Amino acid sequence: MSEPSSQSFPPAGIDGFLSHFVFTVRVNKGDLAGQVFSYTWPAAVQTVVRSEPFIYEGPEANHRVEFALPKGADLPTTLSEEDFIAIPPGFFEAGKETIWLQILNLDARGETEYGPMRCILGATFKREYPDIFQASFGAAQSLGDSGLPARLFFNPNGIFETPFGNLHTRPKALLGTRVDKVPPVGSNPELLGPIALDSVDDLRAAAKDGTALPETPAASLLALAHPIDAQLQADEGELFDLVERAISRTA
Protein backbone atom coordinates (compact mmCIF):
# COMPACT_ATOMS: atom_id res chain seq x y z
CA MET A 1 0.00 0.00 0.00
CA SER A 2 1.48 3.34 -1.02
CA GLU A 3 2.07 6.05 1.55
CA PRO A 4 -0.32 9.04 1.41
CA SER A 5 1.11 12.40 0.39
CA SER A 6 1.52 15.03 3.09
CA GLN A 7 2.96 17.84 0.95
CA SER A 8 3.21 18.66 -2.74
CA PHE A 9 6.47 18.81 -4.65
CA PRO A 10 7.47 22.43 -5.27
CA PRO A 11 7.55 23.78 -8.83
CA ALA A 12 10.82 24.06 -10.74
CA GLY A 13 13.43 26.18 -9.02
CA ILE A 14 16.71 26.31 -7.11
CA ASP A 15 17.51 25.24 -3.57
CA GLY A 16 20.46 26.22 -1.41
CA PHE A 17 21.45 24.47 1.79
CA LEU A 18 24.20 23.61 4.22
CA SER A 19 25.50 20.06 4.01
CA HIS A 20 28.53 18.13 5.17
CA PHE A 21 30.33 14.86 4.50
CA VAL A 22 31.16 11.91 6.72
CA PHE A 23 33.35 9.39 4.92
CA THR A 24 35.95 6.65 5.05
CA VAL A 25 38.61 6.44 2.34
CA ARG A 26 41.17 3.71 1.69
CA VAL A 27 44.37 4.57 -0.17
CA ASN A 28 45.29 1.83 -2.64
CA LYS A 29 48.61 3.08 -4.05
CA GLY A 30 51.72 5.03 -3.10
CA ASP A 31 53.36 5.56 0.28
CA LEU A 32 50.01 5.42 2.10
CA ALA A 33 48.73 2.27 0.35
CA GLY A 34 46.50 0.22 2.64
CA GLN A 35 45.80 3.08 5.04
CA VAL A 36 42.16 3.78 5.95
CA PHE A 37 41.04 7.22 7.13
CA SER A 38 37.69 8.50 8.41
CA TYR A 39 36.68 12.15 8.54
CA THR A 40 33.75 14.44 9.29
CA TRP A 41 34.05 17.71 7.37
CA PRO A 42 32.64 21.12 8.32
CA ALA A 43 29.41 22.24 6.67
CA ALA A 44 29.59 23.68 3.15
CA VAL A 45 26.99 25.58 1.14
CA GLN A 46 25.50 23.90 -1.93
CA THR A 47 22.98 24.68 -4.66
CA VAL A 48 20.71 22.29 -6.60
CA VAL A 49 18.30 23.01 -9.48
CA ARG A 50 15.06 21.00 -9.74
CA SER A 51 12.72 20.33 -12.65
CA GLU A 52 8.96 20.74 -12.77
CA PRO A 53 7.24 17.72 -11.19
CA PHE A 54 5.93 15.13 -13.66
CA ILE A 55 4.37 11.68 -13.60
CA TYR A 56 6.99 9.11 -14.53
CA GLU A 57 5.63 6.77 -17.22
CA GLY A 58 8.55 4.38 -17.69
CA PRO A 59 11.69 4.44 -19.88
CA GLU A 60 9.63 4.06 -23.07
CA ALA A 61 8.17 7.54 -22.43
CA ASN A 62 11.59 9.10 -23.10
CA HIS A 63 11.09 11.80 -20.50
CA ARG A 64 13.24 14.90 -20.89
CA VAL A 65 13.20 17.85 -18.51
CA GLU A 66 14.61 21.35 -18.81
CA PHE A 67 16.45 23.17 -16.05
CA ALA A 68 16.11 26.93 -15.61
CA LEU A 69 19.76 27.57 -14.79
CA PRO A 70 20.89 30.77 -13.11
CA LYS A 71 23.13 33.21 -14.96
CA GLY A 72 26.74 32.03 -14.84
CA ALA A 73 25.95 28.32 -14.40
CA ASP A 74 27.57 26.72 -17.46
CA LEU A 75 25.96 23.32 -16.97
CA PRO A 76 23.57 21.02 -18.88
CA THR A 77 20.16 22.59 -19.43
CA THR A 78 18.29 19.32 -20.13
CA LEU A 79 18.20 15.84 -18.62
CA SER A 80 16.84 12.56 -19.99
CA GLU A 81 16.76 9.15 -18.33
CA GLU A 82 19.73 7.89 -20.36
CA ASP A 83 21.87 10.66 -18.81
CA PHE A 84 21.71 9.01 -15.39
CA ILE A 85 24.87 6.96 -15.00
CA ALA A 86 23.77 4.95 -11.95
CA ILE A 87 20.15 4.44 -10.83
CA PRO A 88 19.41 2.52 -7.61
CA PRO A 89 17.70 -0.80 -8.40
CA GLY A 90 13.93 -0.41 -8.71
CA PHE A 91 14.02 3.32 -8.00
CA PHE A 92 11.81 4.59 -10.83
CA GLU A 93 8.19 3.37 -10.67
CA ALA A 94 5.67 4.20 -13.37
CA GLY A 95 2.71 6.29 -12.25
CA LYS A 96 4.53 8.14 -9.47
CA GLU A 97 5.25 11.86 -9.34
CA THR A 98 8.91 12.65 -9.90
CA ILE A 99 11.34 15.57 -10.02
CA TRP A 100 14.79 15.47 -11.59
CA LEU A 101 17.72 17.35 -10.11
CA GLN A 102 21.21 18.67 -10.87
CA ILE A 103 23.88 19.83 -8.42
CA LEU A 104 24.83 23.37 -9.43
CA ASN A 105 27.79 23.91 -7.15
CA LEU A 106 29.60 22.52 -4.13
CA ASP A 107 33.08 23.10 -2.72
CA ALA A 108 33.59 21.20 0.54
CA ARG A 109 36.84 21.26 2.52
CA GLY A 110 38.39 19.58 5.51
CA GLU A 111 41.69 19.11 7.30
CA THR A 112 43.47 15.79 7.79
CA GLU A 113 46.63 14.72 9.59
CA TYR A 114 48.32 14.72 6.16
CA GLY A 115 47.06 18.10 5.00
CA PRO A 116 43.93 19.74 3.51
CA MET A 117 41.36 17.91 1.38
CA ARG A 118 38.69 19.31 -0.90
CA CYS A 119 35.70 17.97 -2.87
CA ILE A 120 34.16 19.91 -5.79
CA LEU A 121 31.07 19.24 -7.91
CA GLY A 122 29.00 21.13 -10.47
CA ALA A 123 30.14 24.52 -11.76
CA THR A 124 33.40 24.57 -9.80
CA PHE A 125 34.32 21.11 -11.09
CA LYS A 126 33.65 22.20 -14.68
CA ARG A 127 35.56 25.46 -14.27
CA GLU A 128 38.68 23.83 -12.81
CA TYR A 129 38.69 20.47 -14.67
CA PRO A 130 36.77 21.13 -17.92
CA ASP A 131 38.39 18.24 -19.82
CA ILE A 132 37.06 15.57 -17.44
CA PHE A 133 33.87 17.24 -16.20
CA GLN A 134 30.72 15.19 -15.57
CA ALA A 135 27.43 16.63 -14.32
CA SER A 136 25.87 15.41 -11.06
CA PHE A 137 22.24 14.43 -11.65
CA GLY A 138 19.64 13.09 -9.26
CA ALA A 139 15.93 12.47 -8.77
CA ALA A 140 13.22 12.35 -6.15
CA GLN A 141 10.13 10.17 -6.53
CA SER A 142 7.02 10.02 -4.36
CA LEU A 143 6.62 7.14 -1.94
CA GLY A 144 2.90 7.53 -2.55
CA ASP A 145 1.34 8.50 -5.87
CA SER A 146 2.36 12.17 -5.66
CA GLY A 147 4.21 14.69 -3.55
CA LEU A 148 6.09 14.07 -0.32
CA PRO A 149 7.34 11.98 1.41
CA ALA A 150 9.66 10.72 -1.30
CA ARG A 151 12.92 8.92 -1.80
CA LEU A 152 15.90 10.54 -3.44
CA PHE A 153 19.17 9.68 -5.14
CA PHE A 154 22.14 11.51 -6.64
CA ASN A 155 25.01 10.54 -8.92
CA PRO A 156 27.75 12.72 -7.37
CA ASN A 157 30.46 13.26 -10.00
CA GLY A 158 33.35 15.26 -8.68
CA ILE A 159 36.99 15.66 -7.74
CA PHE A 160 38.64 14.93 -4.41
CA GLU A 161 41.83 16.94 -4.05
CA THR A 162 43.91 15.12 -1.45
CA PRO A 163 47.47 14.92 -0.06
CA PHE A 164 47.77 11.64 -2.00
CA GLY A 165 46.67 13.03 -5.36
CA ASN A 166 43.70 14.54 -7.18
CA LEU A 167 41.04 11.88 -7.64
CA HIS A 168 37.91 11.51 -9.77
CA THR A 169 34.84 9.57 -8.67
CA ARG A 170 33.55 6.62 -10.69
CA PRO A 171 29.75 6.40 -11.19
CA LYS A 172 27.76 5.42 -8.10
CA ALA A 173 24.51 6.48 -6.44
CA LEU A 174 23.83 8.09 -3.08
CA LEU A 175 20.37 7.06 -1.84
CA GLY A 176 18.09 8.75 0.66
CA THR A 177 15.30 6.30 1.49
CA ARG A 178 12.94 9.02 2.77
CA VAL A 179 12.78 12.80 2.45
CA ASP A 180 9.91 14.85 3.87
CA LYS A 181 10.70 18.22 2.31
CA VAL A 182 12.49 19.87 -0.61
CA PRO A 183 15.29 20.75 -0.10
CA PRO A 184 15.75 17.49 1.84
CA VAL A 185 16.84 19.04 5.16
CA GLY A 186 17.24 16.36 7.83
CA SER A 187 17.90 13.56 5.34
CA ASN A 188 21.14 11.63 5.14
CA PRO A 189 21.81 10.09 1.69
CA GLU A 190 24.32 7.24 1.85
CA LEU A 191 26.37 5.14 -0.55
CA LEU A 192 24.98 1.88 -1.93
CA GLY A 193 28.48 0.56 -2.58
CA PRO A 194 32.12 1.64 -2.58
CA ILE A 195 33.22 4.38 -4.97
CA ALA A 196 36.49 3.93 -6.84
CA LEU A 197 38.59 7.09 -7.03
CA ASP A 198 40.82 7.28 -10.10
CA SER A 199 43.89 9.46 -10.35
CA VAL A 200 43.17 12.51 -12.50
CA ASP A 201 46.56 11.97 -14.14
CA ASP A 202 45.65 8.34 -14.99
CA LEU A 203 42.28 9.47 -16.33
CA ARG A 204 43.83 12.08 -18.62
CA ALA A 205 46.54 9.68 -19.82
CA ALA A 206 43.94 7.03 -20.65
CA ALA A 207 41.86 9.55 -22.60
CA LYS A 208 44.92 10.78 -24.50
CA ASP A 209 46.34 7.33 -25.37
CA GLY A 210 43.05 5.43 -25.69
CA THR A 211 44.17 2.98 -23.02
CA ALA A 212 42.23 1.50 -20.12
CA LEU A 213 42.44 2.86 -16.61
CA PRO A 214 44.53 0.84 -14.13
CA GLU A 215 42.56 -2.07 -12.72
CA THR A 216 43.20 -0.90 -9.16
CA PRO A 217 42.01 2.68 -8.52
CA ALA A 218 44.21 5.12 -6.61
CA ALA A 219 41.81 5.10 -3.66
CA SER A 220 38.30 3.97 -2.69
CA LEU A 221 35.48 5.58 -0.72
CA LEU A 222 34.29 2.78 1.54
CA ALA A 223 31.58 4.78 3.30
CA LEU A 224 29.99 8.13 2.61
CA ALA A 225 27.07 9.92 4.21
CA HIS A 226 25.90 13.37 3.15
CA PRO A 227 23.72 14.91 5.89
CA ILE A 228 21.65 17.90 4.75
CA ASP A 229 21.84 20.37 7.63
CA ALA A 230 19.78 23.49 6.95
CA GLN A 231 18.15 25.48 4.16
CA LEU A 232 19.69 28.77 3.07
CA GLN A 233 17.11 31.45 3.84
CA ALA A 234 17.69 33.72 0.86
CA ASP A 235 15.88 34.70 -2.32
CA GLU A 236 16.04 31.90 -4.89
CA GLY A 237 17.58 34.23 -7.46
CA GLU A 238 20.51 34.95 -5.12
CA LEU A 239 21.40 31.42 -4.13
CA PHE A 240 23.82 30.48 -6.91
CA ASP A 241 25.74 33.76 -6.57
CA LEU A 242 25.87 33.43 -2.78
CA VAL A 243 27.51 30.02 -3.09
CA GLU A 244 29.83 31.21 -5.87
CA ARG A 245 31.04 34.05 -3.64
CA ALA A 246 31.56 31.71 -0.70
CA ILE A 247 33.64 29.39 -2.89
CA SER A 248 35.75 32.19 -4.38
CA ARG A 249 36.48 33.57 -0.93
CA THR A 250 37.90 30.26 0.33
CA ALA A 251 39.70 29.32 -2.90
Side-chain angles (χ1 to χ4, degrees):
M1 184 175 180
S2 64
E3 187 164 347
S5 173
S6 59
Q7 183 181 345
S8 299
F9 278 132
I14 297 172
D15 294 306
F17 47 87
L18 285 175
S19 61
H20 69 280
F21 289 98
V22 183
F23 64 94
T24 298
V25 62
R26 179 183 64 210
V27 183
N28 298 325
K29 297 181 178 180
D31 295 340
L32 297 177
Q35 294 295 315
V36 175
F37 310 102
S38 296
Y39 303 107
T40 298
W41 280 1
V45 287
Q46 178 176 358
T47 43
V48 172
V49 63
R50 59 182 185 273
S51 73
E52 288 288 350
F54 64 96
I55 302 301
Y56 178 74
E57 298 176 353
E60 64 280 357
N62 295 317
H63 291 291
R64 178 176 291 272
V65 304
E66 294 188 1
F67 293 121
L69 298 181
K71 184 179 180 180
D74 182 20
L75 294 168
T77 58
T78 63
L79 172 61
S80 61
E81 191 166 349
E82 64 185 15
D83 297 321
F84 290 106
I85 55 177
I87 299 173
F91 185 91
F92 286 133
E93 295 183 49
K96 290 183 177 288
E97 192 172 25
T98 303
I99 57 174
W100 285 354
L101 308 159
Q102 180 178 188
I103 294 175
L104 292 177
N105 220 349
L106 171 67
D107 184 340
R109 298 159 185 263
E111 290 293 329
T112 78
E113 59 266 47
Y114 294 100
M117 290 181 65
R118 179 188 186 217
C119 178
I120 55 175
L121 294 89
T124 300
F125 177 16
K126 186 171 185 181
R127 185 163 52 239
E128 298 188 19
Y129 296 83
D131 58 318
I132 56 173
F133 170 73
Q134 289 179 292
S136 294
F137 295 128
Q141 188 171 68
S142 300
L143 292 177
D145 293 330
S146 63
L148 297 158
R151 54 180 178 166
L152 172 148
F153 82 89
F154 269 103
N155 298 147
N157 289 308
I159 298 289
F160 275 86
E161 296 178 342
T162 80
F164 36 87
N166 294 341
L167 311 172
H168 180 268
T169 56
R170 287 189 193 173
K172 283 290 182 179
L174 277 175
L175 177 66
T177 56
R178 180 185 175 110
V179 298
D180 293 299
K181 59 180 72 174
V182 176
V185 174
S187 68
N188 188 20
E190 298 182 41
L191 273 184
L192 295 178
I195 293 183
L197 299 173
D198 291 306
S199 162
V200 168
D201 291 339
D202 287 345
L203 194 67
R204 286 171 168 161
K208 180 179 179 181
D209 302 334
T211 56
L213 286 166
E215 184 175 346
T216 301
S220 301
L221 276 172
L222 303 183
L224 174 65
H226 185 37
I228 310 300
D229 302 312
Q231 184 173 1
L232 292 181
Q233 301 298 326
D235 183 86
E236 191 173 288
E238 297 180 281
L239 290 172
F240 182 74
D241 286 341
L242 285 174
V243 173
E244 281 278 88
R245 288 197 294 270
I247 290 171
S248 65
R249 188 176 63 251
T250 56

